[in-house]
Amino acid sequence: MIIGVPKEIKEDEKRVSLVPSGVQMLTQSGHRVLVENDAGVGAGFSDEEYRQAGAEIFESGQALWQEAQMIVKVKEPLPGEYQLIQEGQIILTFLHLAAVPQLARVLAEKKAVAVAYETIEGANRSLPLLEPMSEIAGRMATQIGARLLESTFGGRGVLMGGVPGVPPADVVIIGGGTVGVTATRVAIGMGAQVTILDINSQRLREIYRLFDGRIVSLMSNSYSLERVVQYADLLIGAVLLPGGRAPRLVTEAMVKTMKPGAVIIDVAIDQGGIVETIDRVTTHSNPTYSKHGVLHYAVPNMPGAVPRTATFALTNVTTGFVLELANKGYKAAFAENEMLAAGANVVHGHFVHPAVAEAVNMDYTPLNRVLQQF
């Protein structure tokens, strides 16, 4: 198979979808790997390292897209790449189609085979390809929030851990998944007072035990949210519905009750966000805006700020799936690997993931029915 690694064109995105060692695995298995010029520079990988691993360096991203049978990316194709997608081409990347229905329609019209990292499922509905990025985003959410609380950046001027005689910052985290737990770990390490909310009581028990009771845990509902949002110095949105759009849980009325200079970081923004007052995405270069006196941070590719760490963490878990798709082709790979089959979102014009189909208001077709036609 011919595998293409284009340069990411999303603003401030410096990750790359394959490291040289991954390229070498593929070329040693008999596949051709095409890497766009300088695709890995942001993460610290030179074109020469890719050449030594067996890759062919392409000066033109358009030529790469035209020749590759499978495109391996980090972030979803952007409008400037839509016309490059080929019929039958495998697109393997973070798609988050619930937040970009236009892309969903393009993938269907182009009859591509779109596989999303974020819906590949392991045992107990785990998300092994999303997890390392969630771990990074959770750590970064608290780290960035601590900085934004400084008055220099428009925050309340509150130190996360306080000092003797002065209370610590109140951190409220909505969602007890990977992002929420890693954000909690960092916040506790900084000395903050942490309140975490989730809709699963068993999950709250697990988190409470994990942190030896050093947190406040609450069932997530509108009543609890109204109470805790108003006293938060830092509010972190960490809710995930695999394949679906994030629910709007924090209303504008709630945001209006927050303290001047409080900070909101919505990690769920790549799935549409859980905060009503987040009406735009932001970038690492211009990450915040103020509304109702509250600082809003809505960067959808947070791990892109630490591209070397994030690239290694991502490719550790994605390269095996790339190799499987290349070795077997998508039909056999889907048939033999249920985890990979769960990653299929759009195949030859059909929406084969129920949550994605619902989120973009399209008809759902079971994957096995689609595969029988081809």
Side-chain angles (χ1 to χ4, degrees), residues 307-329:
R308 191 161 178 87
T309 296
T311 291
F312 276 114
L314 180 61
T315 58
N316 283 346
V317 293
T318 58
T319 303
F321 290 101
V322 176
L323 189 61
E324 186 169 359
L325 283 166
N327 286 344
K328 299 177 180 178

PDB file of all heavy atoms in Angstrom, residues 307-329:
ATOM      1  N   PRO A 307       4.451  19.265  20.783  1.00  0.00           N
ATOM      2  CA  PRO A 307       4.372  18.337  19.657  1.00  0.00           C
ATOM      3  C   PRO A 307       5.294  17.127  19.746  1.00  0.00           C
ATOM      4  O   PRO A 307       4.934  16.050  19.256  1.00  0.00           O
ATOM      5  CB  PRO A 307       4.725  19.213  18.454  1.00  0.00           C
ATOM      6  CG  PRO A 307       5.501  20.360  19.015  1.00  0.00           C
ATOM      7  CD  PRO A 307       4.904  20.604  20.358  1.00  0.00           C
ATOM      8  N   ARG A 308       6.440  17.285  20.362  1.00  0.00           N
ATOM      9  CA  ARG A 308       7.341  16.121  20.411  1.00  0.00           C
ATOM     10  C   ARG A 308       6.786  15.061  21.366  1.00  0.00           C
ATOM     11  O   ARG A 308       6.657  13.884  21.017  1.00  0.00           O
ATOM     12  CB  ARG A 308       8.753  16.536  20.817  1.00  0.00           C
ATOM     13  CG  ARG A 308       9.759  15.395  20.620  1.00  0.00           C
ATOM     14  CD  ARG A 308      11.184  15.877  20.578  1.00  0.00           C
ATOM     15  NE  ARG A 308      12.119  14.770  20.429  1.00  0.00           N
ATOM     16  CZ  ARG A 308      12.500  14.237  19.265  1.00  0.00           C
ATOM     17  NH1 ARG A 308      11.984  14.723  18.131  1.00  0.00           N
ATOM     18  NH2 ARG A 308      13.350  13.243  19.216  1.00  0.00           N
ATOM     19  N   THR A 309       6.444  15.481  22.582  1.00  0.00           N
ATOM     20  CA  THR A 309       5.829  14.546  23.528  1.00  0.00           C
ATOM     21  C   THR A 309       4.558  13.940  22.938  1.00  0.00           C
ATOM     22  O   THR A 309       4.348  12.720  22.987  1.00  0.00           O
ATOM     23  CB  THR A 309       5.483  15.266  24.841  1.00  0.00           C
ATOM     24  OG1 THR A 309       6.688  15.720  25.470  1.00  0.00           O
ATOM     25  CG2 THR A 309       4.752  14.337  25.802  1.00  0.00           C
ATOM     26  N   ALA A 310       3.706  14.786  22.358  1.00  0.00           N
ATOM     27  CA  ALA A 310       2.419  14.324  21.849  1.00  0.00           C
ATOM     28  C   ALA A 310       2.584  13.400  20.655  1.00  0.00           C
ATOM     29  O   ALA A 310       1.837  12.421  20.512  1.00  0.00           O
ATOM     30  CB  ALA A 310       1.545  15.517  21.484  1.00  0.00           C
ATOM     31  N   THR A 311       3.541  13.681  19.787  1.00  0.00           N
ATOM     32  CA  THR A 311       3.754  12.823  18.623  1.00  0.00           C
ATOM     33  C   THR A 311       4.188  11.430  19.039  1.00  0.00           C
ATOM     34  O   THR A 311       3.668  10.422  18.538  1.00  0.00           O
ATOM     35  CB  THR A 311       4.793  13.447  17.673  1.00  0.00           C
ATOM     36  OG1 THR A 311       4.229  14.616  17.070  1.00  0.00           O
ATOM     37  CG2 THR A 311       5.200  12.483  16.581  1.00  0.00           C
ATOM     38  N   PHE A 312       5.135  11.345  19.953  1.00  0.00           N
ATOM     39  CA  PHE A 312       5.559  10.023  20.424  1.00  0.00           C
ATOM     40  C   PHE A 312       4.407   9.294  21.110  1.00  0.00           C
ATOM     41  O   PHE A 312       4.178   8.105  20.879  1.00  0.00           O
ATOM     42  CB  PHE A 312       6.753  10.145  21.380  1.00  0.00           C
ATOM     43  CG  PHE A 312       8.088  10.239  20.697  1.00  0.00           C
ATOM     44  CD1 PHE A 312       8.858  11.384  20.780  1.00  0.00           C
ATOM     45  CD2 PHE A 312       8.575   9.172  19.955  1.00  0.00           C
ATOM     46  CE1 PHE A 312      10.092  11.471  20.155  1.00  0.00           C
ATOM     47  CE2 PHE A 312       9.814   9.250  19.316  1.00  0.00           C
ATOM     48  CZ  PHE A 312      10.576  10.410  19.410  1.00  0.00           C
ATOM     49  N   ALA A 313       3.665  10.004  21.955  1.00  0.00           N
ATOM     50  CA  ALA A 313       2.552   9.373  22.672  1.00  0.00           C
ATOM     51  C   ALA A 313       1.487   8.868  21.704  1.00  0.00           C
ATOM     52  O   ALA A 313       0.928   7.775  21.886  1.00  0.00           O
ATOM     53  CB  ALA A 313       1.941  10.367  23.662  1.00  0.00           C
ATOM     54  N   LEU A 314       1.202   9.658  20.664  1.00  0.00           N
ATOM     55  CA  LEU A 314       0.178   9.264  19.694  1.00  0.00           C
ATOM     56  C   LEU A 314       0.648   8.098  18.829  1.00  0.00           C
ATOM     57  O   LEU A 314      -0.066   7.103  18.670  1.00  0.00           O
ATOM     58  CB  LEU A 314      -0.187  10.461  18.813  1.00  0.00           C
ATOM     59  CG  LEU A 314      -1.254  10.205  17.747  1.00  0.00           C
ATOM     60  CD1 LEU A 314      -2.575   9.793  18.394  1.00  0.00           C
ATOM     61  CD2 LEU A 314      -1.445  11.439  16.863  1.00  0.00           C
ATOM     62  N   THR A 315       1.849   8.209  18.272  1.00  0.00           N
ATOM     63  CA  THR A 315       2.303   7.171  17.352  1.00  0.00           C
ATOM     64  C   THR A 315       2.600   5.852  18.062  1.00  0.00           C
ATOM     65  O   THR A 315       2.569   4.799  17.432  1.00  0.00           O
ATOM     66  CB  THR A 315       3.534   7.638  16.553  1.00  0.00           C
ATOM     67  OG1 THR A 315       4.602   7.992  17.460  1.00  0.00           O
ATOM     68  CG2 THR A 315       3.192   8.846  15.684  1.00  0.00           C
ATOM     69  N   ASN A 316       2.856   5.901  19.359  1.00  0.00           N
ATOM     70  CA  ASN A 316       3.007   4.650  20.122  1.00  0.00           C
ATOM     71  C   ASN A 316       1.770   3.772  19.983  1.00  0.00           C
ATOM     72  O   ASN A 316       1.858   2.544  19.994  1.00  0.00           O
ATOM     73  CB  ASN A 316       3.240   4.949  21.610  1.00  0.00           C
ATOM     74  CG  ASN A 316       4.648   5.401  21.912  1.00  0.00           C
ATOM     75  OD1 ASN A 316       5.550   5.258  21.094  1.00  0.00           O
ATOM     76  ND2 ASN A 316       4.846   5.957  23.097  1.00  0.00           N
ATOM     77  N   VAL A 317       0.596   4.405  19.888  1.00  0.00           N
ATOM     78  CA  VAL A 317      -0.654   3.637  19.865  1.00  0.00           C
ATOM     79  C   VAL A 317      -1.301   3.562  18.484  1.00  0.00           C
ATOM     80  O   VAL A 317      -2.176   2.718  18.267  1.00  0.00           O
ATOM     81  CB  VAL A 317      -1.673   4.210  20.882  1.00  0.00           C
ATOM     82  CG1 VAL A 317      -1.182   4.004  22.301  1.00  0.00           C
ATOM     83  CG2 VAL A 317      -1.962   5.682  20.621  1.00  0.00           C
ATOM     84  N   THR A 318      -0.895   4.406  17.555  1.00  0.00           N
ATOM     85  CA  THR A 318      -1.541   4.392  16.233  1.00  0.00           C
ATOM     86  C   THR A 318      -0.808   3.551  15.200  1.00  0.00           C
ATOM     87  O   THR A 318      -1.440   2.999  14.287  1.00  0.00           O
ATOM     88  CB  THR A 318      -1.665   5.820  15.668  1.00  0.00           C
ATOM     89  OG1 THR A 318      -0.364   6.416  15.582  1.00  0.00           O
ATOM     90  CG2 THR A 318      -2.567   6.679  16.533  1.00  0.00           C
ATOM     91  N   THR A 319       0.509   3.429  15.316  1.00  0.00           N
ATOM     92  CA  THR A 319       1.297   2.808  14.243  1.00  0.00           C
ATOM     93  C   THR A 319       0.876   1.368  13.975  1.00  0.00           C
ATOM     94  O   THR A 319       0.831   0.929  12.825  1.00  0.00           O
ATOM     95  CB  THR A 319       2.800   2.885  14.576  1.00  0.00           C
ATOM     96  OG1 THR A 319       3.166   4.257  14.773  1.00  0.00           O
ATOM     97  CG2 THR A 319       3.629   2.315  13.441  1.00  0.00           C
ATOM     98  N   GLY A 320       0.532   0.633  15.013  1.00  0.00           N
ATOM     99  CA  GLY A 320       0.097  -0.751  14.827  1.00  0.00           C
ATOM    100  C   GLY A 320      -1.158  -0.840  13.980  1.00  0.00           C
ATOM    101  O   GLY A 320      -1.300  -1.754  13.148  1.00  0.00           O
ATOM    102  N   PHE A 321      -2.077   0.106  14.156  1.00  0.00           N
ATOM    103  CA  PHE A 321      -3.305   0.112  13.358  1.00  0.00           C
ATOM    104  C   PHE A 321      -3.020   0.513  11.914  1.00  0.00           C
ATOM    105  O   PHE A 321      -3.636   0.000  10.979  1.00  0.00           O
ATOM    106  CB  PHE A 321      -4.332   1.053  13.983  1.00  0.00           C
ATOM    107  CG  PHE A 321      -4.899   0.544  15.280  1.00  0.00           C
ATOM    108  CD1 PHE A 321      -4.442   1.029  16.494  1.00  0.00           C
ATOM    109  CD2 PHE A 321      -5.874  -0.441  15.287  1.00  0.00           C
ATOM    110  CE1 PHE A 321      -4.958   0.549  17.690  1.00  0.00           C
ATOM    111  CE2 PHE A 321      -6.393  -0.924  16.475  1.00  0.00           C
ATOM    112  CZ  PHE A 321      -5.930  -0.436  17.683  1.00  0.00           C
ATOM    113  N   VAL A 322      -2.084   1.448  11.721  1.00  0.00           N
ATOM    114  CA  VAL A 322      -1.674   1.821  10.366  1.00  0.00           C
ATOM    115  C   VAL A 322      -1.115   0.598   9.652  1.00  0.00           C
ATOM    116  O   VAL A 322      -1.467   0.304   8.494  1.00  0.00           O
ATOM    117  CB  VAL A 322      -0.617   2.946  10.397  1.00  0.00           C
ATOM    118  CG1 VAL A 322      -0.136   3.256   8.982  1.00  0.00           C
ATOM    119  CG2 VAL A 322      -1.169   4.204  11.048  1.00  0.00           C
ATOM    120  N   LEU A 323      -0.254  -0.141  10.346  1.00  0.00           N
ATOM    121  CA  LEU A 323       0.365  -1.333   9.764  1.00  0.00           C
ATOM    122  C   LEU A 323      -0.685  -2.388   9.432  1.00  0.00           C
ATOM    123  O   LEU A 323      -0.627  -3.035   8.373  1.00  0.00           O
ATOM    124  CB  LEU A 323       1.407  -1.892  10.738  1.00  0.00           C
ATOM    125  CG  LEU A 323       2.308  -3.019  10.220  1.00  0.00           C
ATOM    126  CD1 LEU A 323       3.131  -2.539   9.029  1.00  0.00           C
ATOM    127  CD2 LEU A 323       3.229  -3.503  11.327  1.00  0.00           C
ATOM    128  N   GLU A 324      -1.664  -2.564  10.307  1.00  0.00           N
ATOM    129  CA  GLU A 324      -2.702  -3.561  10.065  1.00  0.00           C
ATOM    130  C   GLU A 324      -3.545  -3.192   8.848  1.00  0.00           C
ATOM    131  O   GLU A 324      -3.856  -4.062   8.011  1.00  0.00           O
ATOM    132  CB  GLU A 324      -3.584  -3.707  11.295  1.00  0.00           C
ATOM    133  CG  GLU A 324      -4.604  -4.835  11.184  1.00  0.00           C
ATOM    134  CD  GLU A 324      -5.294  -5.164  12.500  1.00  0.00           C
ATOM    135  OE1 GLU A 324      -4.977  -4.531  13.522  1.00  0.00           O
ATOM    136  OE2 GLU A 324      -6.145  -6.071  12.493  1.00  0.00           O
ATOM    137  N   LEU A 325      -3.935  -1.939   8.722  1.00  0.00           N
ATOM    138  CA  LEU A 325      -4.695  -1.504   7.556  1.00  0.00           C
ATOM    139  C   LEU A 325      -3.885  -1.668   6.276  1.00  0.00           C
ATOM    140  O   LEU A 325      -4.420  -2.066   5.231  1.00  0.00           O
ATOM    141  CB  LEU A 325      -5.115  -0.043   7.719  1.00  0.00           C
ATOM    142  CG  LEU A 325      -6.298   0.231   8.647  1.00  0.00           C
ATOM    143  CD1 LEU A 325      -6.374   1.718   8.989  1.00  0.00           C
ATOM    144  CD2 LEU A 325      -7.606  -0.235   8.005  1.00  0.00           C
ATOM    145  N   ALA A 326      -2.595  -1.358   6.352  1.00  0.00           N
ATOM    146  CA  ALA A 326      -1.737  -1.476   5.167  1.00  0.00           C
ATOM    147  C   ALA A 326      -1.536  -2.930   4.773  1.00  0.00           C
ATOM    148  O   ALA A 326      -1.570  -3.276   3.585  1.00  0.00           O
ATOM    149  CB  ALA A 326      -0.393  -0.809   5.444  1.00  0.00           C
ATOM    150  N   ASN A 327      -1.327  -3.792   5.748  1.00  0.00           N
ATOM    151  CA  ASN A 327      -1.056  -5.208   5.453  1.00  0.00           C
ATOM    152  C   ASN A 327      -2.284  -5.947   4.942  1.00  0.00           C
ATOM    153  O   ASN A 327      -2.197  -6.803   4.052  1.00  0.00           O
ATOM    154  CB  ASN A 327      -0.537  -5.920   6.703  1.00  0.00           C
ATOM    155  CG  ASN A 327       0.898  -5.553   7.042  1.00  0.00           C
ATOM    156  OD1 ASN A 327       1.623  -4.997   6.221  1.00  0.00           O
ATOM    157  ND2 ASN A 327       1.306  -5.840   8.268  1.00  0.00           N
ATOM    158  N   LYS A 328      -3.453  -5.639   5.515  1.00  0.00           N
ATOM    159  CA  LYS A 328      -4.657  -6.419   5.231  1.00  0.00           C
ATOM    160  C   LYS A 328      -5.643  -5.732   4.301  1.00  0.00           C
ATOM    161  O   LYS A 328      -6.506  -6.400   3.715  1.00  0.00           O
ATOM    162  CB  LYS A 328      -5.383  -6.749   6.540  1.00  0.00           C
ATOM    163  CG  LYS A 328      -4.578  -7.579   7.524  1.00  0.00           C
ATOM    164  CD  LYS A 328      -5.368  -7.796   8.813  1.00  0.00           C
ATOM    165  CE  LYS A 328      -4.582  -8.620   9.815  1.00  0.00           C
ATOM    166  NZ  LYS A 328      -5.337  -8.799  11.088  1.00  0.00           N
ATOM    167  N   GLY A 329      -5.541  -4.399   4.185  1.00  0.00           N
ATOM    168  CA  GLY A 329      -6.605  -3.663   3.525  1.00  0.00           C
ATOM    169  C   GLY A 329      -7.733  -3.433   4.506  1.00  0.00           C
ATOM    170  O   GLY A 329      -7.871  -4.170   5.487  1.00  0.00           O
TER     171      GLY A 329
END
